[in-house]
Each structure stands twice: as C-alpha cells, then as structure tokens.
Amino acid sequence: MFKDLPMTADAILAMEWSDYEPYFKDLQARELTASNLDEWLLDWSAIADHLDEQYTRLFVATTQYTDDTEIEQKFNHFIEAIQPPSRVEEQKLKEKLLASGLESPNFKMGLKKMRAEADIFSEANLDLLVEEQKLNAEYNKILGAQTVLWEGEELTLSQMYPLQKARDRATREKAWKLVVAERLRNREAVNDLWTKFMAVRSKIVQNAGLADYRAYAWAQKFRFDYTPEDCKTFHTAIEQVVVPLATRIYERHRQKLGLDTFRPWDQLVDTSPDEPLKPFDTLDEFKSKARDIFTKVDPRFGEYFQAMMDGDLLDLDNRKNKAPGAYNLIYGVTRKPFIFMSDTKTHLDVETILHEGGHAFHAFEAAVVPYFHERAETYVPAEFAEVASMAMELLGSPYITKDQGGFYTEREAARARLEHLEGLVTFWPYMALVDAFQHWIYENPQQGSDPLQCEKKWGELWERFMPGIDYNGFEDARDTYWHRQGHIHTSPFYYIEYGLAQLGAVQIWANALENQKKAVEDYRKALSLGSTVSLPELFQAAGAKFAFDAETLKTYMDVIESEMDKLDQILQ
C-alpha cells in the first residue's frame, strides 16, 4: 500500500508530475493476480484521489477569483503539465487491468466504466482536452466579468436577480433589460468562443474514431442504461404532459398580476400580495438555519453540514469576479465536499443550499466506497447524483418554517413551497428545450457550429417548449438565451440528467409524504452505493423508477398538482 503520499492540501497542491510518476510506474510494474488485485486497485485509487483533489482545488480557485492571473497560471500548469501524462498512465493501467482478464467481484461497475473510457481514449486528444478546458475557463471569465450599473452602483448579474423579482413592474423590466443588454454586449465574444468549442470537439470525435460527438458523450458519461431515442421520448412526454400545465401556471400568474401579456420580466416576480420573502440577513444566520433544516431531515445530515461550516468548505457570498452559478465538488483525498454559490438574499439561496447540500451529503455517504472509480463524481451517474440534490430540496421543504428552525412563517413557507413546485413544472420544459437543442447541434454539426443557425434553432425550440412567455420585440434576448446556459458550452449533453433526476426526486418526495422516515432511509441507502450498481438499481434502491414515459410522468405531475392546490388553499 502507498503510505508516503502527502495528505495536506498545501502539499497536494505542490505536487508535480515527477511526484506522481513513480507511483504509476510501480503500479505498471506489478504483476497482477487474483490475490493482489484489490490492493492494486486501492493503490490506484489513492493516486487518482490525489490527482482529483489537486485539480479540484485549482479549479475551485479559478471560479472564486476569475481575475487572478496567478491562480489561472497554476490551473493551466496542472492541465498542461500534469493532467496529460497522468491520463496516458491511467490509460496504460486500464489496458493492463483489462488485458489481465481479472475481475474483482467488488469492482463490476468500475470495470465496465473503464472499458468505456478505454474505448474512446486517444492520446491525440490530450492536447485538445486541455484546449477545451481553457475554452471553458474563458467562457467563465466572460460571464464572471459581466456587471451592470444600477443607480450608480456596479452590480453583478447575480446581484441583479432580486431586482428582477421586484413587485414594481417598471423596476423589474428595467433590471431585466439591463441584464439582457450586458449579455448581448458579449454576444460576439460568446459566439466566437462557440465556434472554437465546436472545432475542438469535431477533432476529438475524429481522433476517437466515432461517428459523432453524441456517441463520444454517451460513452464519456457512461450512459449504459438509455439511448438518445429515450431522451426524445422524454421530450415528447414533457411536451404532452408538462407544457400545458406550465402554460397554465404562466397564465395564472398573468391574471394575478393583472397583465395583458406575460413578459420575460414577469417570470420571477412573486404574485403574492405579501411582502417579498427575505429568508436571512447574514450568511452566519443562513448557514445555521440551513444546518437546522438538514438536521430535521436526518440528524446525520446536520452533522455533515456542521463539518462543512467548521472546515471552510463553503463559499457562499456574492462578489465581483466570482464565476456565476453554484456547484458542489469533492476533494478526493479527504473525501470532503465543497459548496460554491453566490447569495442573493432571496429564496433562491435556500433552494440552492438545499440542492448543493444534497450533493454534499451524497459525497459523505459514498465516502465508504473504497475505489475511486466507483466513488468519485466523475463516475457516479449524474442522473442519480442530481436525484441526491433535487430530492433534498423537497425533503427539506417541510422544515423551512421558523418553528422548525428554518426561515419563514407558515404562510411564507407555503408561498416558498408553492413557488418551488411551480418551478419544477416550468423547469421540465426548459430542460427538454436545452437537451433537444444539444441533440440538434451534434446531429447537425455543420449548422450547429454556426452561432446564427444555433440562435434560430433555439428560438424554434423555445416556441415548442416555452409558449407561455411573450418575447415579442425581444427575440434577440430569447434567441441568445442559450449563451447563459453553461452546460451547453462547457459540458455538452449534461442537462437531461436534471429532468430524469427530477422525476426520481419527486418519487422519493411522494414516498416521504406517505412515510418520511422510510423514504429518507431509502434515500441514504442509495447515496451510500456510489456507482457500485447500475442506474436503474440506484433509482430502485431509493424507492423510485428510472423512467421516460408519459404515464409515469403524469402520475407524479398529479401528485405535484395536488400539493400545489393544498398550498394555494393556505394562501387564499
């Protein structure tokens, strides 16, 4: 067993390729036998964890401080000088394991995923993958630098979010238009970057010897349990079952607001006559109340979150030159998660911390899985990883009231929960739009490489899936909306996971409405499996069904609509 690997963050960050190489040579030189296979896999996992933690810490820093050139240089050094040779050595180890014919009964899914990785590996792609990561960083830099001037104060686009929820329509319209103008100011820069992304991905596919980038992404994301046609079945089911309800929700909002037409700047406004929700004043209050909610779901979750509070594993404040969005990543050596978000002092923050908290607890629970290739985020199916986060949003929702240690009065909590459920409904069509758009791009790579053709197609799909919002006169804002959807640019084909996972999460929540204790027990059990079993088996362990069909979707849409009616009655 490797016992001399560094264990502190500073020591791991200081590692060079020359520090890693001897360990890879050791693994390559060992004769593999049935008796030493598990130890060999554990040693490989230790090296993989160190590489993963070094990369993750460097990446996190680039998102925390997008304008810091020293951080950027350190990240680029890793992806240029350490990552490529490590991938070559990883490939050699995969080939060694696969050639041995040995199969550990404890490593079935890990082996299956290694075969998929080995099939698409090409040394000629290493430089291209580095180039793609640099383009990702450039995309984040463009979006991270976006600010607007509001009443003499420079604000990030995240800081503009509360203004777009303003009751005063003139205020939210002005805020929305300022944000759109800033995004359109970067239209050419994002479009130029897009053509570079597509050129790089075209070369990656050619080197991998595959028909198209979708085939590459399917193997890369270990999508063994469903096909592109299943995705299209899901799109159609959403169009049939969800789009009509989402359109009715928009119409109800229009009527409550007394508007002639429902415009894009009307999407976020709270239609309640009550004061806007203000969950907290300080980040310390936010964190402590979040911990109390997690404790109510399960005491162990509260302990996990307290460990994150104590361990400097949360970056939640809003500041300039911080990348947009929110995420949870795992430091491989310590097996501890890290949550990144930018607070807006709105209910969005509550939903975000519940969501990312679910991801974090997945990391804590799966830490018992011994092998990196069945535990790390790269290997856990995203379709289930998002169940962990989305289910936590719903499992935590009964405890957001002040009498449970949360943020709101009972009436405020009803508003928040109703808004959340409406958000689930309106999200599914948007998810289908994003996924359908990506299928079109890579089925038609020549057109998909042309930003203007992309804008046109996005507009067409928007009309198919999002008919309830009137963009008349603001077609440019609608047609370039895909610019802000980072997954399209930096993680192609990553979005269907959210829709599939949402259906799984709603099933777990429906179980909790009947028996909360049992539902949470099943949820935790499934999280602890990491990626040691198949995707349908993970869903089954959590008490859910992995599905794409309209019938299943309709069953749980009815549960959502029933709960929405109950919450609406509280607010009457």
Side-chain angles (χ1 to χ4, degrees):
M1 296 284 289
F2 294 145
K3 300 197 181 287
D4 56 343
L5 284 163
M7 298 303 290
T8 66
D10 288 344
I12 292 168
L13 283 169
M15 291 181 77
E16 295 289 347
W17 173 241
S18 58
D19 299 309
Y20 287 108
E21 189 173 20
Y23 296 103
F24 279 105
K25 297 303 182 189
D26 179 296
L27 290 166
Q28 188 64 35
R30 286 188 219 173
E31 181 183 358
L32 266 183
T33 65
S35 61
N36 73 359
L37 177 58
D38 285 337
E39 182 180 345
W40 187 82
L41 287 169
L42 288 171
D43 280 347
W44 184 2
S45 291
I47 299 303
D49 279 328
H50 277 71
L51 282 161
D52 187 61
E53 176 145 345
Q54 187 175 8
Y55 169 81
T56 300
R57 287 189 178 277
L58 290 168
F59 172 79
V60 165
T62 67
T63 63
Q64 290 178 304
Y65 310 102
T66 60
D67 62 335
D68 190 313
T69 55
E70 184 180 352
I71 286 172
E72 184 180 9
Q73 287 167 2
K74 288 179 178 178
F75 177 75
N76 286 342
H77 174 72
F78 180 88
I79 65 174
E80 290 170 350
I82 298 176
Q83 200 172 64
S86 73
R87 283 176 166 163
V88 171
E89 293 302 318
E90 287 262 346
Q91 179 66 11
K92 290 178 183 177
L93 295 181
K94 287 169 191 169
E95 290 172 354
K96 179 183 177 74
L97 176 59
L98 295 172
S100 75
L102 295 169
E103 294 190 16
S104 169
N106 303 318
F107 196 62
K108 289 182 179 179
M109 286 304 299
L111 194 62
K112 186 174 184 178
K113 291 178 180 182
M114 278 188 186
R115 287 194 180 104
E117 286 184 315
D119 287 345
I120 64 170
F121 178 81
S122 167
E123 197 164 337
N125 276 338
L126 295 178
D127 288 342
L128 293 170
L129 293 171
V130 170
E131 187 177 344
E132 186 181 37
Q133 286 177 304
K134 288 183 177 180
L135 293 175
N136 290 351
E138 184 63 27
Y139 173 82
N140 283 331
K141 185 183 291 187
I142 292 170
L143 269 65
Q146 290 179 335
T147 62
V148 301
L149 199 62
W150 180 267
E151 296 181 352
E153 184 180 2
E154 186 182 24
L155 298 179
T156 67
L157 300 198
S158 294
Q159 288 170 325
M160 291 295 289
Y161 178 80
L163 291 164
Q164 293 181 72
K165 294 173 70 71
R167 294 281 176 76
D168 178 62
R169 198 184 196 201
T171 299
R172 64 179 185 264
E173 180 178 351
K174 178 183 175 184
W176 182 86
K177 287 179 177 176
L178 276 174
V179 168
V180 165
E182 173 65 3
R183 289 191 170 122
L184 288 173
R185 187 178 67 81
N186 288 289
R187 184 181 197 170
E188 186 175 343
V190 176
N191 280 342
D192 287 346
L193 205 58
W194 178 251
T195 61
K196 294 175 184 177
F197 271 124
M198 291 296 290
V200 167
R201 287 170 187 153
S202 175
K203 292 175 186 175
I204 287 172
V205 169
Q206 290 171 19
N207 291 335
L210 295 171
D212 54 46
Y213 189 84
R214 183 171 62 190
Y216 177 85
W218 238 251
Q220 182 191 46
K221 297 181 188 308
F222 312 122
R223 291 182 175 171
F224 306 129
D225 301 300
Y226 65 102
T227 67
E229 288 308 309
D230 288 326
C231 296
K232 294 179 180 181
T233 296
F234 199 38
H235 301 163
T236 302
I238 289 167
E239 185 177 15
Q240 293 173 350
V241 175
V242 187
V243 168
L245 178 54
T247 305
R248 292 199 299 274
I249 288 172
Y250 293 136
E251 175 58 18
R252 282 204 302 271
H253 285 194
R254 183 195 68 76
Q255 292 176 7
K256 286 182 180 179
L257 293 166
L259 304 175
D260 292 333
T261 183
F262 192 73
R263 300 292 254 162
W265 50 85
D266 299 319
Q267 281 183 262
L268 299 177
V269 65
D270 184 355
T271 57
S272 168
D274 301 340
E275 287 299 309
L277 293 175
K278 187 184 179 188
F280 61 93
D281 293 315
T282 67
L283 280 178
D284 285 342
E285 177 192 0
F286 177 53
K287 287 184 280 190
S288 66
K289 288 184 174 180
R291 178 201 57 212
D292 292 345
I293 290 169
F294 291 135
T295 301
K296 284 289 178 16
V297 178
D298 188 287
R300 184 62 62 85
F301 295 149
E303 293 170 13
Y304 291 154
F305 196 74
Q306 183 64 55
M308 297 186 74
M309 292 168 65
D310 296 339
D312 193 26
L313 295 167
L314 303 167
D315 181 354
L316 311 181
D317 70 316
N318 197 324
R319 57 184 183 270
K320 186 180 177 182
N321 294 313
K322 182 177 180 180
Y327 62 72
N328 173 87
L329 292 174
I330 304 167
Y331 296 139
V333 175
T334 60
R335 303 190 190 179
K336 295 286 178 63
F338 174 86
I339 291 177
F340 173 98
M341 62 169 268
S342 298
D343 74 290
T344 61
K345 301 294 192 299
T346 70
H347 182 63
L348 176 65
D349 299 336
V350 179
E351 291 189 346
T352 300
I353 203 65
L354 290 173
H355 180 99
E356 301 303 341
H359 282 309
F361 305 149
H362 197 176
F364 278 111
E365 292 286 340
V368 297
V369 176
Y371 303 119
F372 176 85
H373 301 89
E374 291 188 334
R375 165 177 34 84
E377 281 181 301
T378 313
Y379 292 94
V380 174
E383 298 85 351
F384 188 74
E386 296 300 340
V387 171
S389 56
M390 292 176 167
M392 183 54 66
E393 294 177 35
L394 291 160
L395 292 172
S397 64
Y399 308 110
I400 62 174
T401 54
K402 290 178 179 178
D403 63 344
Q404 297 283 353
F407 300 94
Y408 302 123
T409 65
E410 184 180 354
R411 181 177 174 83
E412 288 171 336
R415 286 168 58 198
R417 293 180 67 191
L418 179 59
E419 181 181 310
H420 182 207
L421 293 178
E422 289 181 339
L424 301 191
V425 175
T426 56
F427 169 74
W428 262 306
Y430 180 72
M431 182 285 304
L433 159 63
V434 172
D435 192 58
F437 181 62
Q438 296 196 91
H439 282 274
W440 173 83
I441 287 169
Y442 296 104
E443 285 175 348
N444 305 277
Q446 187 170 351
Q447 289 176 282
S449 298
D450 180 349
L452 296 182
Q453 289 294 319
C454 288
E455 290 180 11
K456 180 182 177 184
K457 187 63 180 181
W458 177 268
E460 292 172 2
L461 290 169
W462 187 284
E463 291 303 308
R464 175 185 172 190
F465 290 106
M466 310 280 286
I469 307 164
D470 179 8
Y471 266 85
N472 185 42
F474 296 94
E475 288 78 8
D476 277 358
R478 178 197 65 195
D479 295 350
T480 56
Y481 197 96
W482 63 282
H483 282 188
R484 61 180 285 188
Q485 191 57 60
H487 304 75
I488 295 169
H489 303 264
T490 65
S491 188
F493 282 105
Y494 192 117
Y495 217 66
I496 188 73
E497 292 90 340
Y498 292 119
L500 294 170
Q502 192 69 80
L503 185 52
V506 169
Q507 292 177 71
I508 292 169
W509 170 63
N511 295 341
L513 293 175
E514 299 295 326
N515 185 334
Q516 196 265 357
K517 186 173 184 295
K518 176 68 164 54
V520 173
E521 285 175 357
D522 289 345
Y523 169 74
R524 281 190 59 190
K525 175 187 173 185
L527 299 189
S528 72
L529 293 172
S531 61
T532 58
V533 299
S534 71
L535 188 52
E537 288 173 311
L538 287 171
F539 270 67
Q540 185 178 11
K545 174 188 175 186
F546 187 58
F548 305 85
D549 60 288
E551 184 179 357
T552 301
L553 193 58
K554 178 69 166 62
T555 296
Y556 291 97
M557 287 295 294
D558 289 345
V559 174
I560 292 172
E561 195 160 14
S562 173
E563 290 299 309
M564 285 169 56
D565 288 343
K566 291 176 187 175
L567 292 167
D568 212 20
Q569 288 172 14
I570 293 173
L571 296 172
Q572 291 299 325

